[in-house]
Amino acid sequence: MMKINKLILSLIMLMIMSYAAQSQTKEPWIASQLMPPKQLADKIQQAKTPMPLIVNIGPQAVIKGSVDVGPAGEKPNIKKLETLLSKEDKNREVVLYCGCCPFDRCPNIRPAFTQIKKMGFKNAKLLDIPKNIKTDWIDKDYPVQ
């Protein structure tokens, strides 16, 4: 009887853990697709060629050389992103950034990164801005517009 109770308890725990894992949101990017801000800043400052296409998907283009499509949480701006990317080689490095707020609350990074993946870009990156553009870019004296 004791073995049956342990088995039932184990099955219940397994079901709870499985449900918890399924209910967590899976990000559209993987860790290797997150680019540290310093890495991008170094590329800009050293003018390495070829430069990535740097795309602002948030409220304001701050990073030097970036193209502004506007907040990707709004459908018209996803269309702007599509139009911009439709002219690019799918192998080109493309770095998306927002910086409006911490990643876990950002309404722009997930729709934009999902779109770039859907379009088949093989070298898509998301600038790793865990807090905001001021703290993680401007305050570090990285290149601005």
Side-chain angles (χ1 to χ4, degrees):
M1 189 62 145
M2 196 73 144
K3 286 185 179 183
I4 293 175
N5 287 341
K6 283 184 179 180
L7 178 62
I8 291 172
L9 183 60
S10 294
L11 286 173
I12 291 171
M13 291 302 293
L14 183 62
M15 288 172 48
I16 290 170
M17 289 176 17
S18 175
Y19 175 77
Q22 288 176 356
S23 66
Q24 293 175 348
T25 25
K26 184 170 168 37
E27 301 294 7
W29 59 83
I30 57 174
S32 63
Q33 292 173 309
L34 290 174
M35 177 181 277
K38 182 165 181 8
Q39 183 180 352
L40 181 59
D42 288 347
K43 284 185 178 199
I44 294 168
Q45 290 168 334
Q46 296 168 7
K48 288 183 179 178
T49 54
M51 280 294 292
L53 173 61
I54 306 166
V55 183
N56 172 56
I57 54 167
Q60 181 181 7
V62 172
I63 296 175
K64 182 179 179 180
S66 63
V67 177
D68 186 22
V69 297
E74 301 168 11
K75 288 188 181 203
N77 294 332
I78 287 290
K79 282 292 189 194
K80 287 181 191 175
L81 179 63
E82 283 179 36
T83 301
L84 174 68
L85 295 177
S86 70
K87 303 169 188 157
E88 296 296 329
D89 182 335
K90 302 271 193 252
N91 293 308
R92 182 171 185 194
E93 182 177 32
V94 179
V95 180
L96 303 177
Y97 77 96
C98 179
C100 69
C101 57
F103 263 17
D104 63 339
R105 294 191 312 239
C106 183
N108 302 309
I109 57 177
R110 288 163 189 83
F113 207 84
T114 299
Q115 185 60 41
I116 200 170
K117 279 179 45 180
K118 190 186 302 183
M119 292 179 74
F121 280 82
K122 296 168 182 58
N123 203 4
K125 305 282 184 191
L126 178 61
L127 193 61
D128 191 1
I129 303 178
K131 293 183 182 170
N132 60 55
I133 196 72
K134 181 178 180 330
T135 301
D136 299 314
W137 189 271
I138 297 169
D139 289 352
K140 294 183 179 188
D141 290 324
Y142 293 152
V144 294
Q145 301 276 30

